[in-house]
C-alpha cells in the first residue's frame, strides 16, 4: 500500500490550508472520507477516527445554530479523537471556533477554494483515496484498451508485445502502459491497470526507439488507466501446438486474489495478431452478455442428432 499524506490530498483538490500546515505530511491510513453527524450528538461507537472528516453546509449550519458553550463541547468531543484532518466545503466564514480547536490539537484544517457540493466532493475524494491506497504490484507487459475492454498483454521479452500494441493503436485502440504495468486492486473483483508515471505515453519499439503516442498519434491513442478484463499471453509459434476446438477450456491468472480470464495467442509471420486480439475482446464482451458462439452452434446441430 502506498503512502498518502494530507499534503497530497490538499494539492490534488487545490485546498486552502487554514491551520496545521506543519502537519501536512501526516499519513492517511484509511481510505474513505466521513461526514460527522451522530458524533455531534454524542454517539461515537462507530466513529471512524482514522478517516478524513468532511464538514459541508449541513454540518456547519448545525454548528452555527448551537450556543457558544454547546458548540465548543461538540467540537471538542470530535477533535479529541485526532482524525487526520478536517476539510470544510462550505467556505471559510465563521470557522473561528473550529480553527481554535484544530490549533490546540495539532489537526490540519483545510477548506475548498469555493463552496462546493459536499456529496460530490466526498465521492471524488473517496475515489482518489481508494486508488492511491489500493494494494498494487508491477508486472512486465503491455496494457491496452480495445473496444473499451482492458487487456493485459504478457509474454517473453522481445516476443512482440509493444509492436502489437502499436498495430492496435493504428486501428483506433489505446495504449495504457508499456513495459511496466502497475496493477491496483480496487476491490475483490476490480483490477485496475495503469502506468508508473515515468513511462506514461511512451511505447518502446525495437529498431525504432521510443515513441510518445500522444505526440505521434494524438490524445485518442492513450488512456491513463483501464479495468483489466482479459489477459493474453503472446508466445512463439509451435507447430501443431494450436487447438481447433470450438471452445477452449477457461483459464485464469491470479493477481492479488483476483482471477483474470487468460488465453494464449501464438505469433507467426502473416498472422493478424491485432485482429485476433480484437476478436478475443469482442468474444469476451459477448460472454458477459450471456452469449456463447459454441453453444449457439451446438444448438443448431442438435436437431440433426435428435
Amino acid at each position: 500500500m502506498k503512502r498518502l499524506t494530507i499534503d497530497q490530498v490538499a494539492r490534488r483538490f487545490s485546498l486552502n490550508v487554514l491551520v496545521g500546515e506543519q502537519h501536512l505530511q501526516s499519513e492517511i491510513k484509511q481510505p474513505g472520507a466521513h461526514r460527522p453527524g451522530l458524533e455531534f450528538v454524542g454517539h461515537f461507537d462507530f466513529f471512524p477516527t482514522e478517516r478524513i472528516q468532511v464538514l459541508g453546509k449541513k454540518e456547519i449550519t448545525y454548528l452555527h445554530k448551537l450556543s457558544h458553550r454547546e458548540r465548543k463541547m461538540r467540537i471538542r468531543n470530535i477533535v479529541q479523537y485526532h482524525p487526520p484532518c478536517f476539510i470544510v466545503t462550505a467556505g471559510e466564514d465563521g470557522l473561528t471556533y473550529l480553527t481554535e480547536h484544530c490549533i490546540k490539537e495539532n489537526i490540519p484544517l483545510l477548506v475548498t477554494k469555493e463552496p462546493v457540493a459536499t456529496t460530490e466532493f466526498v465521492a471524488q475524494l473517496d475515489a482518489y483515496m481508494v486508488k492511491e491506497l489500493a494494494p498494487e504490484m508491477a508486472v512486465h507487459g503491455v496494457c491496452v484498451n480495445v473496444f473499451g475492454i482492458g487487456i493485459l498483454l504478457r509474454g517473453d521479452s522481445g516476443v512482440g508485445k509493444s509492436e502489437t500494441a502499436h498495430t492496435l493503436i493504428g486501428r483506433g485502440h489505446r495504449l495504457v502502459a508499456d513495459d511496466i504495468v502497475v496493477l491496483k486492486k480496487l476491490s475483490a473483483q476490480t483490477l485496475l491497470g495503469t502506468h508508473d508515471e515515468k513511462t506514461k505515453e511512451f511505447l518502446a519499439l525495437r529498431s525504432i526507439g521510443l515513441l510518445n503516442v500522444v505526440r505521434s498519434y494524438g490524445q485518442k491513442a492513450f488512456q491513463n488507466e483501464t479495468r483489466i478484463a482479459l489477459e493474453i499471453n503472446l508466445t512463439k509459434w509451435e507447430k501443431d501446438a494450436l487447438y481447433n476446438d470450438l471452445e477452449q477450456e477457461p483459464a485464469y491468472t491470479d493477481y492479488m486474489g483476483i482471477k483474470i480470464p487468460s488465453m494464449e495467442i501464438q505469433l507467426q509471420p502473416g498472422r493478424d495478431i491485432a485482429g485476433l486480439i480484437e476478436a478475443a475482446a469482442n468474444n469476451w464482451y459477448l460472454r458477459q452478455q450471456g452469449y456463447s458462439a459454441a453453444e449457439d452452434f451446438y444448438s443448431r446441430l442438435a436437431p440433426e442428432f435428435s
Side-chain angles (χ1 to χ4, degrees):
M1 186 177 291
K2 290 172 61 177
R3 185 174 186 270
L4 179 64
T5 65
I6 298 169
D7 181 59
Q8 289 173 275
V9 173
R11 286 187 281 108
R12 170 63 178 77
F13 291 94
S14 302
L15 303 175
N16 291 329
V17 182
L18 293 188
V19 300
E21 190 168 355
Q22 67 274 30
H23 301 292
L24 292 182
Q25 294 306 315
S26 297
E27 189 172 354
I28 299 169
K29 299 180 180 179
Q30 183 70 43
H34 176 67
R35 296 181 69 176
L38 290 175
E39 292 79 13
F40 280 134
V41 293
H43 294 279
F44 292 93
D45 291 345
F46 302 100
F47 183 33
T49 58
E50 292 190 344
R51 293 188 178 185
I52 292 175
Q53 304 298 309
V54 178
L55 305 179
K57 184 176 181 179
K58 179 176 67 175
E59 292 81 14
I60 295 299
T61 300
Y62 168 78
L63 291 172
H64 281 324
K65 289 182 178 180
L66 300 176
S67 66
H68 176 76
R69 178 182 177 186
E70 192 174 11
R71 183 166 57 231
K72 184 176 181 180
M73 180 187 68
R74 304 286 190 201
I75 294 296
R76 185 175 62 244
N77 286 344
I78 290 180
V79 298
Q80 68 179 347
Y81 287 94
H82 289 90
C85 68
F86 287 96
I87 298 177
V88 177
T89 63
E92 300 183 21
D93 295 339
L95 296 184
T96 304
Y97 57 90
L98 187 57
T99 300
E100 292 173 354
H101 283 86
C102 287
I103 291 175
K104 183 177 180 180
E105 299 295 337
N106 296 317
I107 300 173
L109 173 61
L110 307 98
V111 296
T112 55
K113 290 188 175 180
E114 299 290 339
V116 298
T118 309
T119 302
E120 181 179 339
F121 176 80
V122 169
Q124 294 176 359
L125 180 60
D126 283 350
Y128 168 73
M129 288 194 291
V130 166
K131 287 182 183 179
E132 290 300 309
L133 294 174
E136 66 177 47
M137 63 181 293
V139 299
H140 176 68
V142 175
C143 184
V144 290
N145 185 282
V146 177
F147 298 133
I149 297 166
I151 297 177
L152 180 62
L153 302 179
R154 304 296 305 275
D156 294 337
S157 180
V159 76
K161 299 183 294 297
S162 299
E163 290 78 3
T164 300
H166 183 257
T167 302
L168 287 167
I169 291 171
R171 294 187 182 213
H173 306 298
R174 295 179 175 182
L175 174 73
V176 176
D178 181 44
D179 191 32
I180 299 298
V181 181
V182 177
L183 302 176
K184 292 175 174 280
K185 181 180 180 180
L186 300 189
S187 72
Q189 295 82 33
T190 306
L191 189 69
L192 191 75
T194 186
H195 48 79
D196 66 352
E197 290 296 339
K198 295 188 291 291
T199 60
K200 179 180 179 180
E201 301 176 357
F202 287 114
L203 183 66
L205 299 175
R206 282 178 170 78
S207 303
I208 303 297
L210 274 179
L211 287 183
N212 183 306
V213 298
V214 172
R215 289 181 177 270
S216 297
Y217 305 112
Q219 189 61 49
K220 69 181 187 302
F222 176 76
Q223 185 167 317
N224 198 52
E225 58 190 29
T226 188
R227 178 175 178 175
I228 302 295
L230 181 64
E231 176 191 75
I232 296 178
N233 288 287
L234 302 182
T235 61
K236 294 182 179 179
W237 179 268
E238 292 183 23
K239 188 178 180 181
D240 301 325
L242 293 181
Y243 299 98
N244 290 317
D245 298 340
L246 295 181
E247 189 162 29
Q248 301 293 323
E249 286 294 321
Y252 299 90
T253 302
D254 188 291
Y255 292 105
M256 295 179 286
I258 302 176
K259 291 185 176 181
I260 300 298
S262 179
M263 63 177 296
E264 176 186 352
I265 294 180
Q266 291 192 8
L267 305 178
Q268 186 187 46
R271 289 199 92 196
D272 182 8
I273 303 304
L276 290 174
I277 291 173
E278 289 178 328
N282 279 326
N283 208 36
W284 177 89
Y285 176 78
L286 289 173
R287 283 182 173 276
Q288 306 312 299
Q289 307 306 307
Y291 175 79
S292 166
E295 291 177 4
D296 190 2
F297 179 71
Y298 286 133
S299 69
R300 299 182 188 186
L301 295 179
E304 299 181 15
F305 297 96
S306 60

